[in-house]
């Protein structure tokens, strides 16, 4: 079934790639043509179904590179998860996936769930049986015994256990491997967030085993030492990348240069509630923490977008709110759209599938009133959401 979408402008994804008075032709799950309205109309023929949107923008569906579908975004997601059996958890995860899609997210990377339930949900959505974004699932994140998020089932002690865990994740259908290179904030009794949980040698084993299976490695790393180890080990993305030593900011320019050189993507995973972060830390410390994003960007580090959805007060429906942080930091809006689409697709290894509007790619797209490159709020409440060609109706 073909669909011709026309609008005042088409943003193809990369900053600067803009077609005024443009059109996108979709056939089934794929994009067939993108270009000026007249050209695409001629290709489509007179009988095609039309969806005309004066005053609107067509752009690629958004990509959230850091979510946890297993967490409910309530005040105590870990406690709630512990009290929820797999059947109820699967229902909650399906509902949260639907919320992501309703907010314009057509691809989400799940960086840690329980029992590989995100793999089942991924396949159900892909089969068209439930609404939701394309999901990449890390399944159980690797962590030392009792370490950060141990309750997700990925505890490993020593290199043999690391290899075994990765093989189990691969067998369960994982799309990538997540490793908790440093401690975090939500595991009682675990390492402090800046403390390393694995040494460089162990992280090398993680990368070696994952790459052997053709999977990328995402490393959760708050501490500078853990960032250095992860970069030495050759991970593919750094999550949070907070640059802390003993709780104090400690950025290293030589390491940032290697992040750029090695093509490692960085996802800050800041929630849509980032203003509360300012209130909690105070403006000075918050600014010091946010400044690392500007600093990395200035050095050429490839930043991508994610929200840690599922953590307390990081809901699944407000991706646009999280993008607002980058506007606050002074990023041009066109670049924010690029980060949330094309760059994030690169980070996930999906450039042949999504992240741009181009012939042959999946029909993951949004139609929004107005122009998100002059007002990000235009991304809220899209008039049309297509995920792999399927129309999602909000409300
Ligand atoms: Zn996370």
């Amino acid at each position: 079934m073909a669909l011709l979408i026309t609008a005042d402008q088409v943003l193809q994804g990369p900053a600067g790639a803009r077609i005024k008075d443009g059109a996108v032709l979709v056939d089934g799950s794929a994009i067939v043509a993108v270009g000026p309205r007249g050209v695409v109309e001629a290709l489509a023929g007179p009988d095609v179904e039309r969806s005309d949107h004066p005053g609107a923008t067509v752009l690629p569906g958004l990509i959230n590179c850091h979510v946890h579908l297993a967490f409910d975004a309530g005040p105590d997601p870990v406690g709630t998860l512990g009290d929820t059996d797999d059947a109820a958890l699967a229902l909650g995860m399906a509902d949260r996936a639907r919320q992501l899609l309703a907010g314009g997210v057509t691809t989400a990377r799940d960086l840690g769930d329980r029992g590989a339930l995100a793999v089942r949900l991924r396949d159900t959505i892909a089969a068209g049986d439930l609404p939701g974004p394309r999901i990449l699932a890390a399944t159980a994140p690797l962590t030392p015994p009792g370490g950060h998020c141990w309750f997700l089932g990925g505890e490993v002690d020593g290199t043999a256990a690391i290899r075994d865990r990765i093989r189990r994740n691969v067998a369960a259908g994982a799309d990538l491997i997540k490793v908790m290179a440093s401690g975090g904030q939500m595991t009682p009794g675990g390492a402090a967030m800046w403390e390393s949980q694995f040494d460089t040698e162990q992280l090398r084993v993680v990368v070696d085993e994952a790459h052997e299976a053709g999977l990328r490695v995402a490393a959760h790393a708050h501490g500078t030492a853990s960032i250095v180890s992860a970069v030495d080990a050759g991970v593919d993305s750094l999550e949070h990348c907070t640059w802390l030593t003993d709780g104090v900011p400690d950025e290293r320019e030589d390491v940032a240069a290697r992040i750029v050189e090695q093509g490692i993507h960085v996802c800050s995973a800041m929630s849509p509630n980032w203003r509360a972060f300012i209130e909690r830390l105070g403006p000075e410390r918050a600014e010091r923490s946010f400044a690392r994003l500007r600093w990395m960007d200035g050095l050429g580090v490839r930043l991508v977008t994610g929200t840690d959805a599922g953590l307390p007060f990081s809901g699944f429906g407000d991706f646009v709110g999280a993008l607002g942080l980058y506007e606050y930091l002074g990023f041009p809006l066109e670049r924010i759209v690029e980060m949330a689409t094309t760059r994030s697709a690169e980070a996930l290894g999906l450039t042949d599938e999504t992240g741009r509007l181009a012939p042959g790619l999946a029909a993951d797209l949004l139609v929004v009133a107005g122009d998100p490159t002059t007002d990000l709020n235009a991304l809220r409440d899209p008039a049309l959401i297509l995920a792999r060609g399927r129309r999602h109706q909000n409300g």
Side-chain angles (χ1 to χ4, degrees):
M1 185 62 200
L3 177 66
L4 174 68
I5 301 159
T6 69
D8 278 15
Q9 63 171 354
V10 174
L11 302 177
Q12 288 152 290
R18 182 193 303 256
I19 301 163
K20 291 282 177 195
D21 196 19
V24 178
L25 179 62
V26 168
D27 194 5
S29 63
I31 295 168
V32 177
V34 181
R37 182 193 301 251
V39 174
V40 179
E41 268 175 349
L43 275 170
D47 300 328
V48 72
E49 184 189 346
R50 298 185 63 115
S51 184
D52 296 311
H53 299 272
T57 299
V58 190
L59 75 157
L62 305 175
I63 300 177
N64 189 334
C65 294
H66 195 135
V67 308
H68 297 278
L69 290 161
F71 293 141
D72 74 345
D76 180 18
V78 177
T80 304
L81 178 68
D83 294 337
T84 307
D85 66 23
D86 279 5
L89 182 57
L91 287 174
M93 289 169 70
D95 183 57
R96 295 189 275 274
R98 185 193 51 73
Q99 289 176 47
L100 283 169
L101 182 58
V105 171
T106 56
T107 299
R109 182 174 61 162
D110 187 287
L111 286 182
D113 77 333
R114 189 180 76 194
L117 290 176
V119 169
R120 264 165 52 193
L121 182 57
R122 172 196 75 194
D123 294 345
T124 308
I125 289 170
D129 294 332
L130 278 177
R134 169 190 296 94
I135 291 173
L136 298 189
T139 69
L142 276 67
T143 198
H148 183 52
C149 289
W150 63 270
F151 45 83
L152 295 176
E155 288 177 295
V156 289
D157 193 2
T159 53
I162 288 172
R163 291 192 189 277
D164 182 59
R165 181 73 249 167
I166 291 174
R167 284 172 197 156
R168 283 165 194 260
N169 285 1
V170 170
D175 298 294
L176 74 151
I177 297 301
K178 168 86 177 289
V179 59
M180 300 300 197
S182 79
Q185 287 168 300
M186 55 192 288
T187 307
M193 65 189 282
W194 52 86
E195 284 173 6
S196 294
Q197 295 204 126
F198 292 103
D199 64 27
T200 306
E201 258 332 291
Q202 290 171 318
L203 291 177
R204 280 207 180 97
V205 173
V206 173
V207 171
D208 176 63
E209 189 71 35
H211 284 182
E212 187 67 33
L215 304 191
R216 296 184 178 210
V217 174
H220 160 110
H222 287 293
T224 299
S226 67
I227 293 168
V228 174
S229 289
V231 171
D232 283 343
V235 304
D236 301 285
S237 76
L238 291 163
E239 308 301 315
H240 310 293
C241 203
T242 316
W243 298 98
L244 292 175
T245 299
D246 295 331
V248 177
D250 179 26
E251 292 95 349
R252 292 235 336 242
E253 194 159 333
D254 59 322
V255 181
R258 291 179 49 221
I259 291 173
V260 175
E261 222 174 80
Q262 292 175 220
I264 298 169
H265 289 84
V266 170
C267 179
S268 73
M270 280 299 294
S271 90
N273 212 19
W274 53 272
R275 288 182 196 277
F277 182 79
I278 303 177
E279 279 158 34
R280 186 156 52 88
L281 259 66
E284 218 162 288
R285 278 185 62 203
E287 174 50 39
R288 184 71 181 83
S289 176
F290 292 152
R292 78 191 194 279
L293 299 173
R294 262 193 229 108
W295 171 75
M296 284 191 279
D297 181 63
L299 293 171
V301 172
R302 298 159 177 84
L303 299 180
V304 296
T305 51
T307 62
D308 232 344
L311 266 65
F313 313 110
S314 185
F316 289 81
D318 187 21
F319 189 55
V320 180
L323 298 182
L325 169 63
Y326 291 95
E327 182 177 18
Y328 172 83
L329 293 174
F331 286 60
L333 302 192
E334 210 169 1
R335 283 204 52 221
I336 298 173
V337 170
E338 176 184 66
M339 278 165 56
T341 58
T342 308
R343 292 279 164 260
S344 288
E346 283 168 16
L348 273 45
L350 293 176
T351 49
D352 294 337
E353 237 177 287
T354 193
R356 286 176 299 129
L357 298 182
L361 297 200
D364 295 337
L365 63 82
L366 312 178
V367 178
V368 300
D371 181 358
T373 64
T374 57
D375 180 4
L376 273 186
N377 287 309
L379 294 171
R380 294 182 187 279
D381 201 18
L384 176 68
I385 301 171
L386 289 190
R388 286 178 282 202
R390 283 194 294 271
R391 240 177 277 206
H392 181 70
Q393 304 291 359
N394 270 338

